[in-house]
Amino acid sequence: MRRSLIRRAGVAGTCLALVTAVVPVAFAARPGTAVGTPGVATIGPSAAAIPSASCTLVDTTRTCELWAKTGTIDLPGSSGITTLGFAPSAGTEPQVPGPTIKANPGETLVVTLHNTLAETVSLAFPGQALAPDTAGAPAGGDATYTLALDGSGTFLYEAGLTPNGPRQVAMGLYGALVVGGPPPGVDKDSLVVFGGIDPQSNNAWPAGSLNDYEPDYWVINGRSYPDTESIDVRPGDTLLLRYINAGLGEESMGVLGLRQTVVAMDGTPLAWPMDVVAETVPAGGTMEAIVEIPASAAVGDRYALGSGHGHIFNGPSGPDGLPMGGLLTFITVVPEPVVVSTDTQSPLVGRLAVGITQATPRVVVATTADDRGHGGSAIRGAEWFIGADPGAGLATPMIADDGSFDGQFERIRGEAPVSMLRPGRHVIGVRAVDAAGNWAALGTSWIAIPDTRLKDDFESGTLAAWSATRGTSQLAVRAAGALEGRRSLNITVRGAAAAYLVDASPSAWTVYRAQFAFQPRGTSTGGRAMDLFVGRAASGAVAFRIQYRRTSAGLLQVRAVSRIGAADRAGGWVTIANRTHQLDVTWRASATGGVTLLVDGRSRSAVNGDNRAVRLDDVRLGAIAGMSAGSTGRLVVDAFVSARDTIVAPLWPAPFTRLGPE
Amino acid sequence: MGRRFGARRVAAFVAALALLVPFGAPPAAGVEPTESGIVCTSGDANPTFHLVAGAGNIGTPDGNTIRMWSYAADPGAFQFPGPTLCVVEDAVVTVVLRNELDEPVSIVFPGQAGVLAGTGDPDVTPPTDPVAPQFDGGNLVSLVQSAAPGATVNYRFVASSPGTYLYESGTNPAKQVQMGLYGGLVVRPAGQPSQAYAEADTAFNPSTEYLLLMSEVDPALHQAVERGLPYDPSTYHPRYWMLNGRSFPDTLAPNGSPLLPTQPYSSLIHMEPRTDANPLPALVRYVNVGTRSHPFHPHGNHGRIIARDGRLLRGPSTQDLSYEKFLVNIGGGQTWDALYDWRDTELWTPSHPIPVDLPQPQDAAYKDDVTWYAGSPYLGYTDDLPVGVTSFNECGEYYHMWHSHALNEAANYEAAGGGMMTLQRIDPPGGCPPAP
């Protein structure tokens, strides 16, 4: 079901998008949200709002990342309380509750937990079919969970079945998992994630235990009243409350002046909804309840929502008495939004820059959204998708480079881990929406994900990535003069003695591409062509060679040679300078196959022809053949990457290579 | 063997008289309480209830005296809990609250919509302002309009739906509700005083209608209030667990017992077997104003849960969604209505004996040498008990324990055998014959 975003001012801009939120300012406050005292430093400002989408969806697989971290939380009368929380990215603060994961039935949810704590953390997904994880992510490590989501509902995720898991839940390692949208007719969909906090127990962490746990505070979405968020409704609205008890004790959740109809418990719809004032939500349980706001409600009316178990106070009271607080918020009747904009024009999405970052490879899409001259509203949000278009308002939220969507022109950006994409070509779409609710036309591009195989930047200091070596005394990984990173491979050329690396992982491949950095260092070849990089069939037949020579005139040259039919044919020599170059080799077996060598992305040495009979079964790199007694010197190689593909994600030199059309 | 009661009068119930003296001080004017069962404070068709919030003392079975705050009829003596207000569907209900405490106090009516508040004489200036949270210097001080010390506040609402409800303080509830400011509210279906709801299958025997109001008391907090010390609910540790403001065995004392002058409401469940001559079940209205769920367990039979928070359990096409349950886990702020009966299915008598070897009475243990056991297992029969054992049994009636199955709550200050517990008494058909 497609849901309209348009009535929800600001939703797109405030989604707790997991992977797109790469900078802390991504969690800018929603305009008009009453945040109360800004005493809660590490909590997302709109935890009650359910994002239209989260994480990154490719076809039907949604990939999320959670970072378990330590942080602090401020509660009324008690600040700097040690807490644990999940953050949506490596660079953001942890949140209590963690980022809301919004997904849809039928999707496969892949959650990668990055544990930055000094103790094991695991995840549990109560209500989902998933084998319990009793191993977890070790300190500093990762764990990945794959769930088949088969039904709509309100669920939670929390620290799981590893030692200290219960304590970690009590300290904040929990969050909401919302599968599917609300039932038809719901105007407002709000999360009420609640639990208790014992500051003494938290501050003692990692010492102490749950034996000493006695909460003094109760929180809704990580906050105690008066810092809790109001749930804003309009007269006549149908409100869906998604209660999640992430605490360690049961709670009776009630409303005053209204009634609520319980429609689901623990993610399962009730055959017979039940009309109550208050209903018990056990620890770890969830409840969905519908509240009808009277059409006669007046703007400013407030209905209390909170604990039926008296948890409406904040911690130990002082001698001055006891302010009301705790597990309490209000459903507040607010005016219908005043439509001041006559803007009916859509903003424009600029051309998409799409690429892959280097470090932990991530797909990045960057573009602009511009409403200048198109109605002049502010850009309210933007979203992107990879693969199938989930529809406006349901794709993955993007972030504004300047931290908030507030201008008529915004530079926007989205990121996702490459690891979630299969090799091949993927459509990428971007759309933006202005404050008047006009959606931009879809901007599209594509990303090609290489079928990356062997890659080695030699930073390990060893040659263990390779299947075999020959002439190891002439092969050395050295730091001195490294081309990329801190180490490079040095190949000593000493007469006719062969010295090379072997990658035997190809097996009857018909396509292959490799890139590496190469520095000839003036190495002499006695005037002969020396095989530097060779692809061979299992029979020993050569598929391609990349050759290097130093001419008698002192020129340094490289060329490509390919087996075409029954003979080797050579491309022209490319003269290179005596410095570092990128060599880029593409080989393909087909009726119009052959090999292409690109030097620094420009100069070309190529051979084409019918080489359908040839297969690739191993690859060699180094001083392979063709040397002579006069060969002497040292070759330096680095940043080797190869693919069973015609594309590669280069390790060097560009950290951000644009592969898609601009 | 056993004696049919009446064949030989047994007058050994002197000890029980303390619990059975009827008709102490009536809790509110115009109310004639029965020995047990709900005690309604009612008014005219559109009643005005005058209540006063004040302080007083209650007693506990272990001899403690606890300072409480409560609502009471105004004018009237302090009582705990507040009067059970009974009104009829669609009545315009007005509550005038006068505050004798030294801090502001209010009343909220969970489950009622469109509650209005006002001040002054409600007959002259009817309440017109919707109830709304009250702030002082930005701090929330009350969920609804309150009465300052010495002042009054009025509330008015239309009791639009039959059922069981509660009322309680909306001002600093973490303190004032714990201190005792709460009571029950019953809305009867229009024209059907012997039905819980408008539907005919909710008919009950009007002589067996019960309200069981569950609450907890941490005496340390009450002592802090009494002594003017800081009130810290984060230290909350209840020691007394109550039904209708009493702990077992005081729960058995009759309504208005002079031994419990400020705790007028009995919780004794007293019925006869369901027969053709006694075709209607009892109605038990459970209300929890406490801070945790109370898993309440009636021995003897299941209850049939027919309603929650004043709404009959019915499907959209009037499907009967009631269900039987032997333990009702009632959360804070919730009300559950149960129809309850007890049937003598086997009809054992001495001439139609229970086909097992029965233990001899002298082989049984009698705590403190007292018992409710008749000496005979047959309904309506008594028999000898060991010398020195005192029976509270009157005519061979049965007693079943009803109690919170959080068994720490079946205790008075950690001493087992008290707390949130009462007894169900089942008389022989036709009831016990009158004492000679």
Side-chain angles (χ1 to χ4, degrees), chain B residues 223-239:
Chain B
Q223 193 173 65
V225 169
E226 190 174 9
R227 297 180 179 178
L229 298 173
Y231 180 93
D232 184 355
S234 71
T235 66
Y236 184 55
H237 189 149
R239 308 290 184 173

Side-chain angles (χ1 to χ4, degrees), chain B residues 34-343:
Chain B
T34 52
E35 171 201 323
S36 69
I38 191 168
V39 179
C40 271
T41 297
S42 305
D44 56 20
N46 291 313
T48 297
F49 296 103
H50 292 268
L51 299 180
V52 58
N57 296 325
I58 63 168
T60 58
D62 55 353
N64 250 328
T65 300
I66 301 172
R67 191 69 167 169
M68 301 294 295
W69 294 353
S70 187
Y71 303 109
D74 187 20
F78 176 86
Q79 71 166 73
F80 169 73
T84 302
L85 307 180
C86 297
V87 303
V88 177
E89 180 182 1
D90 290 332
V92 177
V93 180
T94 305
V95 176
V96 179
L97 172 64
R98 188 169 63 83
N99 182 8
E100 280 189 352
L101 297 170
D102 58 4
E103 63 183 55
V105 71
S106 65
I107 303 180
V108 293
F109 298 91
Q112 310 302 328
V115 180
L116 303 173
T119 55
D121 182 345
D123 295 332
V124 178
T125 52
T128 54
D129 296 332
V131 290
Q134 304 293 303
F135 295 86
D136 179 11
N139 289 326
L140 177 68
V141 294
S142 182
L143 295 174
V144 296
Q145 289 86 333
S146 57
T152 62
V153 63
N154 309 320
Y155 305 100
R156 176 169 287 176
F157 59 91
V158 177
S160 54
S161 296
T164 306
Y165 303 94
L166 60 96
Y167 64 94
E168 62 187 358
S169 173
T171 305
N172 203 352
K175 178 183 182 183
Q176 293 196 354
V177 174
Q178 166 58 204
M179 286 304 291
L181 288 165
Y182 43 73
L185 168 65
V186 169
V187 181
R188 302 195 180 282
Q192 300 292 347
S194 297
Q195 290 177 196
Y197 294 87
E199 288 73 6
D201 58 0
T202 65
F204 60 93
N205 180 343
S207 66
T208 56
E209 181 188 5
Y210 300 93
L211 178 79
L212 292 181
L213 178 80
M214 304 168 167
S215 66
E216 313 132 18
V217 166
D218 177 355
L221 292 178
H222 292 247
Q223 193 173 65
V225 169
E226 190 174 9
R227 297 180 179 178
L229 298 173
Y231 180 93
D232 184 355
S234 71
T235 66
Y236 184 55
H237 189 149
R239 308 290 184 173
Y240 294 104
W241 315 87
M242 296 181 167
L243 292 172
N244 293 331
R246 302 176 182 174
S247 296
F248 185 87
D250 290 352
T251 49
L252 306 178
N255 285 322
S257 165
L259 297 179
L260 298 162
T262 59
Q263 295 152 275
Y265 296 145
S266 173
S267 298
L268 178 70
I269 309 295
H270 190 170
M271 62 176 71
E272 295 174 15
R274 188 163 176 175
T275 60
D276 290 346
N278 177 36
L280 292 174
L283 173 64
V284 182
R285 304 177 184 268
Y286 295 102
V287 178
N288 183 0
V289 295
T291 66
R292 54 195 69 185
S293 298
H294 295 297
F296 200 76
H297 175 41
H299 289 211
N301 197 3
H302 303 336
R304 173 165 289 278
I305 308 303
I306 60 165
R308 277 292 316 278
D309 297 352
R311 291 294 183 275
L312 194 63
L313 297 177
R314 280 282 196 272
S317 307
T318 72
Q319 295 94 335
D320 180 6
L321 304 181
S322 67
Y323 57 98
E324 290 201 330
K325 208 164 184 328
F326 71 80
L327 185 146
V328 282
N329 193 36
I330 299 166
Q334 300 172 14
T335 75
W336 297 47
D337 293 337
L339 292 176
Y340 189 94
D341 61 24
W342 189 88
R343 296 167 198 246

Side-chain angles (χ1 to χ4, degrees), chain A residues 342-348 370-371 373-377 434 436-440:
Chain A
T342 57
D343 178 5
T344 59
Q345 292 179 265
S346 295
L348 285 186
D370 192 353
D371 211 45
H374 300 277
S377 301
D434 68 18
N438 301 305
W439 283 96

Side-chain angles (χ1 to χ4, degrees), chain A residues 9-29:
Chain A
V11 166
T14 57
C15 297
L16 298 176
L18 300 190
V19 295
T20 59
V22 294
V23 290
V25 288
F27 295 90

